[in-house]
Amino acid sequence: PPRLQALRNRDLGGTGASIRAYALHLAADKSTTFAQNIDNFIQCTHDSRETNPQVVMRNMRQFMSGMKNYLVKHGEREFEKEVEKERNKLKPTEFLNLDAILESVMHKLVVRPLKEHLYQLFVEEYTRTGAIQLLADNIQYARTKPMHELGVRARIMPPSEESIETICHLLNTLQEVDSPLDKLENLLACIGTIFNSVKAANQRCVTLGADDFLPLFVWVLVQSGMLAAEIEADYMWGLLHPSLLSGEGGYYLTTLSSAVHVLKNFRSCSEEQSKTLGPGASLDLRMASLSEFRSVLKIVVPDEMHGSIITKTLPVRPNMTTRDVCKIIAHKVRITNPQDYGLFKLVDGEELVVVGHCGAKTNNYQF
């Protein structure tokens, strides 16, 4: 099961609590530059004619990073003294994750006041494009289908009813909280519950790779009726700290986006295959594979230590860049030196270079 890696401070109620409290104090004092900048940004965002939620989130993310840098580099009032006091309390083996502390502060000061405005933009945009209705129609359609038509293999037992209740509660909580980090924590808790429930139901004998877990997660989303799944995924992609998007958080957020993509295309792809194969075809043949939905990517990586080839199936999302693909591969296969690897596309036995070095900063080509 996944676990969130270190962006959040290990204990905001302990180490770092005084820094967080002082930053909030600065924001409450309207005579400070820190408070004035935040108030001005929130007001300008509300007054702006910008209706694209992606642009608004990009502005929010840049502003939050900028205000964190302002406090770290310049401080205000007694901020630097508060940081130094906290550092002096640490043991030799501990470090002060100042960026994590300030990130949580910015979520409270910037994201929370703008959440309702941002959600309104999302609903208007996705209603205009038909994305919300498309997802709703496909969820309703998928509820009429057995699990194996969603791609869940017969050998995998689904989560128990009790686990489904827990999962639905976590997904509801995910939609209610305003912090993108809190949303991600609820998503990871939901996925962890799925893993644990399946492991218990299958007597621990089943290993869930992406090609097995993704259909199961699609089924879970259908059971929960989460119509805002795409909005929630995009909200997290747009507002989360970039350091979270290359580890477990990024991997399972990609899984959520991939599941949404499968669902939005489920009915059209299913009906198309029914026409192609005919009514006499078996359900297994009629069922569209995940690769046809372009929701997973099969990769092979050389294992030099054992002289073998490792095969993995990874989730991908629409318009994913090769840089993002490299990050997800490096994380899942535990590659610590991605700069020494290249990304190649294998077509009919011929290798085509996609990325010369996975660690290069210029890998922005769409996948």
Side-chain angles (χ1 to χ4, degrees), residues 264-309:
K264 287 173 67 178
N265 292 278
F266 178 69
R267 182 168 192 163
S268 62
C269 195
S270 178
E271 291 178 347
E272 182 63 30
Q273 286 219 345
S274 292
K275 292 177 183 177
T276 303
L277 298 173
S282 71
L283 290 173
D284 287 340
L285 285 175
R286 192 182 299 142
M287 181 188 66
S289 69
L290 293 175
S291 58
E292 288 171 335
F293 282 114
R294 297 182 65 84
S295 57
V296 295
L297 174 68
K298 290 189 180 296
I299 63 161
V300 290
V301 181
D303 183 351
E304 296 174 359
M305 184 176 296
H306 300 96
S308 60
I309 296 292

Side-chain angles (χ1 to χ4, degrees), residues 97-318:
N97 195 341
L98 184 57
D99 188 73
I101 298 166
L102 294 180
E103 181 73 11
S104 71
V105 170
M106 297 313 298
H107 288 175
K108 183 172 184 178
L109 297 177
V110 178
V111 176
R112 182 175 294 175
L114 290 174
K115 179 190 176 184
E116 185 176 343
H117 174 70
L118 184 56
Y119 266 68
Q120 183 178 347
L121 295 181
F122 265 122
V123 171
E124 290 173 355
E125 175 70 12
Y126 289 10
T127 299
R128 183 185 65 80
T129 62
I132 292 178
Q133 190 61 50
L134 180 62
L135 183 59
D137 290 345
N138 274 277
I139 286 177
Q140 185 175 4
Y141 176 75
R143 280 181 171 167
T144 67
K145 302 298 178 182
M147 286 184 67
H148 67 267
E149 287 200 45
L150 290 171
V152 182
R153 300 188 196 189
R155 65 186 180 87
I156 296 175
M157 294 290 291
S160 64
E161 287 188 17
E162 182 180 354
S163 294
I164 287 293
E165 288 182 9
T166 300
I167 290 164
C168 289
H169 173 72
L170 289 167
L171 291 176
N172 286 333
T173 303
L174 182 156
Q175 297 173 77
E176 292 168 0
V177 297
D178 45 58
S179 165
L181 183 55
D182 290 340
K183 288 180 181 292
L184 183 60
E185 287 181 331
N186 278 280
L187 173 64
L188 295 184
C190 162
I191 289 173
T193 302
I194 296 172
F195 270 106
N196 290 331
S197 179
V198 170
K199 185 183 291 185
N202 292 276
Q203 290 79 47
R204 301 178 177 271
C205 61
V206 171
T207 301
L208 291 177
D211 46 355
D212 277 323
F213 180 77
L214 183 57
L216 189 60
F217 191 48
V218 169
W219 178 81
V220 165
L221 289 181
V222 170
Q223 301 308 304
S224 71
M226 190 178 176
L227 301 183
E230 185 171 18
I231 291 176
E232 295 298 344
D234 289 348
Y235 184 102
M236 285 184 272
W237 280 117
L239 295 176
L240 276 170
H241 190 281
S243 66
L244 269 179
L245 300 179
S246 57
E248 292 287 289
Y251 180 85
Y252 287 107
L253 185 49
T254 300
T255 302
L256 173 59
S257 294
S258 181
V260 168
H261 179 65
V262 169
L263 265 178
K264 287 173 67 178
N265 292 278
F266 178 69
R267 182 168 192 163
S268 62
C269 195
S270 178
E271 291 178 347
E272 182 63 30
Q273 286 219 345
S274 292
K275 292 177 183 177
T276 303
L277 298 173
S282 71
L283 290 173
D284 287 340
L285 285 175
R286 192 182 299 142
M287 181 188 66
S289 69
L290 293 175
S291 58
E292 288 171 335
F293 282 114
R294 297 182 65 84
S295 57
V296 295
L297 174 68
K298 290 189 180 296
I299 63 161
V300 290
V301 181
D303 183 351
E304 296 174 359
M305 184 176 296
H306 300 96
S308 60
I309 296 292
I310 301 171
T311 303
K312 293 279 186 181
T313 303
L314 305 176
V316 291
R317 59 192 178 98

Side-chain angles (χ1 to χ4, degrees), residues 42-95:
I42 291 172
Q43 188 61 48
C44 288
T45 303
H46 277 296
D47 295 343
S48 172
R49 294 183 179 180
E50 181 58 65
T51 59
N52 187 330
Q54 303 295 339
V55 174
V56 173
M57 287 192 297
R58 184 169 68 243
N59 293 340
M60 290 169 66
R61 183 64 260 170
Q62 289 175 347
F63 177 77
M64 289 191 290
S65 297
M67 292 310 297
K68 288 194 299 180
N69 289 336
Y70 166 74
L71 284 181
V72 171
K73 292 181 179 179
H74 305 288
E76 192 161 6
R77 303 271 172 92
E78 304 295 315
F79 180 78
E80 291 178 340
K81 290 183 179 178
E82 286 294 330
V83 173
E84 196 57 35
K85 280 197 301 186
E86 284 299 309
R87 283 206 173 102
N88 292 335
K89 295 176 184 177
L90 298 176
K91 298 175 183 178
T93 56
E94 295 178 328
F95 76 99

Side-chain angles (χ1 to χ4, degrees), residues 19-33:
I19 297 174
R20 185 173 188 271
Y22 193 80
L24 292 173
H25 168 72
L26 286 176
D29 183 347
K30 301 308 178 183
S31 67
T32 65
T33 302

Side-chain angles (χ1 to χ4, degrees), residues 10 36 92 96 102 132 151 264 301 327 350:
R10 66 182 178 89
Q36 291 169 8
L96 188 67
L102 294 180
I132 292 178
K264 287 173 67 178
V301 181
K327 283 181 180 179
E350 182 180 353

